[in-house]
Amino acid sequence: MNQEEIYMMLVSSVPTALLIIGIGYALPAFSRKSLLFGASIPEEVSGSKEAKMLKGLYFKYLSIGNVISLAGAYLLGNIFSMEIVSISMIATFLLIGALTLAYYLVHMRARKMKQEQGWKVGKKQIIVVNTIRKESSTTFNFSWFWLPALMVVFTIAIIVIAYPTLPEQIPGNYDFSGNVTRYDEKSPITLSILPLTMLGMTVMFYFISKMIVKVKENINPKQPEISAKKNRIAKYRWVVCILFFAVTMNLFIMLMQFHTFGWLGIKNITPLALALSILPIIPVIYIVFITGQSGSRVKIKEEQEVEGVMYSDDDDQWIMGMIYYNKNDPSLWIEKRFGIGWTVNAGHPIGMGICVVSAILLLGMLAIPFML
Amino acid sequence: MLLQLELESNIPIYKQIANQIIVGIAKGELTEGEELPSVRQMASDIGINMHTVNKAYSNLKQAGWVIIHRKKGVLICTSLKSQVDNHFVEILRDSLEVSIAEAFLKGVTKDEFTKLIEEKYAEYRGGNSQ
């Protein structure tokens, strides 16, 4: 291994692997209480002996899977004498695969157990819907998105004004020590790549925020009023987080662009680049801890719980407890079944398209290490 | 307001939506002129077909509880009180017939029945029964 490879491993491969492993172990703690490994259950059951048993089983499967994945990636890498980048890519895929498999096995057990134990018996299954659905009800002012948009305009304006004074050769790539590894000819095309990336990201983050505001709320029938509030708080926090993401990413790209012009007066940009790419992750982690899925971790004053009710059981709409497939539901986006975030409705034509395209991309990426 | 729907219930979903909106208006949880979610938004929130929500809204529109505005969407009707007419009283008599008969046969006294009605009236619109 040369120095470059060691550096690469330390900043990319090892953290990625640790992140996936960490997420795998943390996931059960971040799901809603009404979902036991993707099986909808009455909340009262979430602390039962059976639920704890399933959690133990999941950790066992996951640990076995992780060990096999890491060993497998190492062996495959040796057999096909791959580069460190390829090995870590395979390890990433195997680790995700192990996580998925562990979840799937426990999901099926949970669904079977739910029937055997009769957890649903005598419970009213209720879907709560808020009729106040206007965007303004999240109290987030979308004009804030002018801030990242203005950063794009500012960057483009600066480039246009400074264009005649810029050097003819502009760095196009750096190595980890900050040395230029490639120069590009100065032209309107090479200089529009980064501003266009900024523009694309800003538009993408804007639409993600709109999606978050519109997406289905999961209001707990045990505490409808409180839960509706928690959903709104969660949405508000996520949109603020996405805005922060858009601003820091744009700042990051803008500084990178100015660095290529030699304006920042720094020799090695790598530390700053790393810092700026880690910065937006901090609020995400914070939000995950204090908000949870549909605001389930939000702390506000609780109200009297309604007895004998549970979320409507929609297990059958979830293929393997992972892919939402509901042709009747017009929603494209929906909250994930396990963990935090959103996924698409594969029963929606666009959702199906997204699934197919990502499957092809994934398989393509999986094939790369073997072709190099 | 929060609608509470049961997919497993014998009452069809469109009926549940319409009924709860009417009760919501009576209780003052929905105010005159208030905007309701679009058909798509409501269907997506419940996770059901848009036709079902459409049916609920068109029933409400026919009964005069909501108006469907081309630009603003579905709104709670602003002139609710003017709609008392003899035809409605006829329908009311018909729909109460079975309930009263069942109550009578089950041994609910007239006083108990009127008390139930009074309680409900007291819940509506801050209790100013008219």
Side-chain angles (χ1 to χ4, degrees):
Chain A
M1 262 195 273
N2 60 32
Q3 208 191 352
E4 188 87 341
E5 278 189 333
I6 294 170
Y7 203 59
M8 178 80 194
M9 244 187 89
L10 285 178
V11 297
S12 149
S13 311
V14 174
T16 311
L18 284 177
L19 187 71
I20 299 169
I21 294 171
I23 286 175
Y25 287 105
L27 273 180
F30 289 92
S31 295
R32 292 201 322 248
K33 265 200 219 157
S34 55
L35 287 171
L36 182 59
F37 295 96
S40 38
I41 53 160
E43 273 188 12
E44 302 85 78
V45 184
S46 66
S48 69
K49 193 171 82 239
E50 288 85 5
K52 281 185 187 131
M53 189 276 281
L54 286 178
K55 218 175 258 183
L57 196 65
Y58 169 77
F59 288 137
K60 197 175 100 186
Y61 289 160
L62 187 64
S63 305
I64 298 171
N66 284 342
V67 170
I68 294 177
S69 301
L70 292 176
Y74 179 77
L75 281 177
L76 274 176
N78 268 343
I79 295 168
F80 294 96
S81 52
M82 288 172 181
E83 285 183 43
I84 195 88
V85 188
S86 304
I87 297 173
S88 60
M89 209 148 118
I90 289 181
T92 308
F93 276 105
L94 288 178
L95 285 171
I96 294 172
L99 172 59
T100 313
L101 189 65
Y103 167 73
Y104 172 68
L105 292 173
V106 181
H107 167 74
M108 293 318 274
R109 280 291 291 275
R111 287 185 68 169
K112 217 175 128 199
M113 192 172 269
K114 178 167 79 172
Q115 296 306 327
E116 286 169 359
Q117 304 276 336
W119 282 336
K120 266 174 17 182
V121 175
K123 301 277 181 207
K124 260 196 192 174
Q125 297 177 34
I126 293 179
I127 300 174
V128 185
V129 178
N130 200 339
T131 59
I132 300 167
R133 226 34 188 93
K134 283 203 302 194
E135 278 172 11
S136 56
S137 56
T138 48
T139 65
F140 183 81
N141 189 347
F142 270 86
S143 3
W144 277 105
F145 273 89
W146 281 108
L147 185 63
L150 283 174
M151 291 169 82
V152 180
V153 175
F154 174 74
T155 312
I156 293 173
I158 293 279
I159 292 174
V160 171
I161 294 164
Y163 192 81
T165 62
L166 294 176
E168 287 306 310
Q169 298 280 317
I170 289 166
N173 205 5
Y174 298 88
D175 64 8
F176 276 106
S177 336
N179 304 312
V180 182
T181 51
R182 194 189 76 219
Y183 277 99
D184 290 328
E185 205 73 41
K186 177 176 93 171
S187 78
I189 295 171
T190 49
L191 284 177
S192 57
I193 293 171
L194 289 181
L196 282 181
T197 314
M198 285 170 81
L199 184 67
M201 297 247 264
T202 309
V203 171
M204 187 183 78
F205 285 128
Y206 177 75
F207 281 109
I208 291 177
S209 310
K210 284 276 175 185
M211 178 279 280
I212 291 174
V213 170
K214 277 197 169 166
V215 83
K216 197 196 300 279
E217 293 173 347
N218 283 306
I219 302 175
N220 190 347
K222 286 183 81 69
Q223 287 190 317
E225 300 286 340
I226 294 293
S227 176
K229 251 186 227 158
K230 287 183 177 178
N231 268 276
R232 289 287 151 93
I233 293 172
K235 283 188 172 187
Y236 181 80
R237 286 181 186 166
W238 272 115
V239 175
V240 171
C241 184
I242 300 288
L243 176 71
F244 183 75
F245 226 102
V247 172
T248 42
M249 287 309 277
N250 276 355
L251 183 71
F252 173 53
I253 300 175
M254 192 173 88
L255 290 179
M256 287 299 128
Q257 182 73 82
F258 293 166
H259 178 65
T260 62
F261 304 152
W263 292 351
L264 297 189
I266 313 171
K267 255 214 146 150
N268 188 358
I269 192 80
T270 311
L272 180 67
L274 280 177
L276 274 173
S277 45
I278 290 168
L279 190 65
I281 302 172
I282 296 165
V284 174
I285 295 170
Y286 179 65
I287 244 183
V288 162
F289 273 92
I290 64 158
T291 307
Q293 195 75 318
S294 348
S296 52
R297 294 173 83 94
V298 173
K299 294 271 174 291
I300 47 176
K301 207 166 157 274
E302 307 283 316
E303 66 180 343
Q304 188 71 39
E305 289 199 343
V306 181
E307 294 297 322
V309 292
M310 65 180 278
Y311 281 97
S312 203
D313 185 342
D314 55 349
D315 290 4
D316 291 337
Q317 319 281 18
W318 289 87
I319 301 169
M320 295 166 78
M322 280 172 253
I323 301 161
Y324 185 65
Y325 187 89
N326 186 351
K327 278 202 157 167
N328 282 322
D329 188 346
S331 3
L332 172 59
W333 295 98
I334 183 156
E335 261 185 19
K336 272 162 77 169
R337 197 64 158 171
F338 189 52
I340 286 171
W342 296 269
T343 180
V344 292
N345 174 7
H348 189 290
I350 299 173
M352 180 52 93
I354 294 175
C355 284
V356 170
V357 170
S358 27
I360 292 170
L361 285 178
L362 216 74
L363 288 178
M365 271 171 73
L366 202 57
I368 290 171
F370 293 95
M371 290 188 300
L372 283 177
Chain B
M1 76 171 289
L2 299 175
L3 302 179
Q4 307 218 354
L5 309 165
E6 260 185 278
L7 297 185
E8 310 245 291
S9 158
N10 293 326
I11 308 164
I13 294 292
Y14 81 90
K15 198 84 200 148
Q16 293 184 40
I17 298 171
N19 286 349
Q20 291 188 28
I21 287 176
I22 295 171
V23 175
I25 300 171
K27 285 189 175 169
E29 286 173 16
L30 290 170
T31 51
E32 292 173 19
E34 187 175 329
E35 216 173 296
L36 289 175
S38 67
V39 172
R40 172 175 283 275
Q41 183 70 66
M42 171 92 83
S44 151
D45 281 353
I46 307 171
I48 54 167
N49 204 299
M50 290 199 278
H51 296 304
T52 314
V53 178
N54 224 336
K55 201 170 170 184
Y57 278 168
S58 34
N59 279 14
L60 285 168
K61 188 192 164 194
Q62 260 177 1
W65 302 120
V66 302
I67 41 174
I68 297 171
H69 199 280
R70 196 167 291 171
K71 269 187 190 161
K72 290 181 190 160
V74 188
L75 310 172
I76 303 294
C77 201
T78 43
S79 49
L80 295 166
K81 290 288 176 192
S82 64
Q83 285 165 9
V84 189
D85 56 37
N86 292 332
H87 178 60
F88 172 72
V89 178
E90 281 301 308
I91 299 170
L92 180 65
R93 183 172 292 139
D94 282 352
S95 58
L96 274 176
E97 173 88 61
V98 184
S99 306
I100 297 173
E102 278 179 328
F104 172 73
L105 293 173
K106 287 272 180 192
V108 179
T109 65
K110 195 178 135 198
D111 280 350
E112 281 170 333
F113 201 96
T114 23
K115 210 183 145 206
L116 277 179
I117 294 173
E118 275 164 6
E119 272 171 23
K120 282 293 162 197
Y121 261 89
E123 277 177 30
Y124 300 148
R125 296 275 167 153
N128 52 348
S129 48
Q130 283 158 19

